[in-house]
Structures are given as C-alpha cells and as structure tokens.
Amino acid sequence: MTRYFFHVDNGTFIPDEDGVDLPDLDAARMEAVRAAGEMINDAKQSFWDHMTPWIMNVTDDQDRLLFTLQFAAKVPSGEARYIPGSSEHETKNPPDGASG
C-alpha cells in the first residue's frame, strides 16, 4: 500500500497532513473524485459564490506529484444556450467558396 496525500487549494491552501493508504493509483484517482464531490457538497453556496477553480494536487509518500484535479463552476451572464456537440471553435457558416 502507498500513502496518498490530497492537498487542496480552494482559495486557501489546505495541506493533507495525514494522507490515506490505498492499493494503487486507480484507487487514489477514485478517492480524489469522491473527496472533491464531498468538498463541493460541504461548501454549499460558497462554491458557487467564489467562482474560482479549486485545485487538488495528489502526491505519494515521496512528495511526487501524481495528478491534479481542477474543479470550478461557471455561471453565464446574460442569456446563454447549450448546444450539444458544438464548440467555441466551430462556425455556423460554411467556409468561403464552400457550397452547403
């Protein structure tokens, strides 16, 4: 078993001093997602009010950075529509000279 540490910065740096013993990296990934969800739930409205990304840096017992999670909420201003399958880089009109 390896001890994994889940350090969080949600505007305030919160180091994980204890860590959690887990069997492998996949288990650490699952724990990170579970813990992130719990933190968002516990934060209640403050997560939505601050609108700054939260960052979780996951390290092993040798202080090696294994992966980072970032999670944030975005609330559009004005009227916004969600159009599945489109991205900011797609255009609604065909390129010049293209028939359509």
Side-chain angles (χ1 to χ4, degrees):
M1 289 255 189
T2 300
R3 185 163 291 252
Y4 295 90
F5 297 85
F6 302 85
H7 310 287
V8 175
D9 186 345
N10 62 3
T12 301
F13 180 67
I14 306 166
D16 180 357
E17 302 290 341
D18 300 322
V20 178
D21 287 326
L22 296 167
D24 55 29
L25 186 58
D26 285 338
R29 289 174 177 152
M30 291 187 337
E31 175 60 17
V33 170
R34 185 207 62 75
E38 185 175 302
M39 289 171 31
I40 291 168
N41 187 53
D42 290 348
K44 307 256 186 278
Q45 189 62 36
S46 71
F47 178 74
W48 297 96
D49 291 342
H50 294 292
M51 305 302 288
T52 55
W54 291 12
I55 300 168
M56 178 186 290
N57 291 301
V58 179
T59 62
D60 64 10
D61 51 10
Q62 301 296 311
D63 292 326
R64 289 180 292 226
L65 179 62
L66 303 173
F67 60 91
T68 300
L69 289 183
Q70 290 187 7
F71 35 106
K74 287 186 177 183
V75 177
S77 61
E79 186 176 323
R81 302 230 183 253
Y82 171 70
I83 302 171
S86 76
S87 72
E88 294 175 324
H89 303 292
E90 292 179 9
T91 60
K92 302 239 185 243
N93 300 319
D96 289 340
S99 61

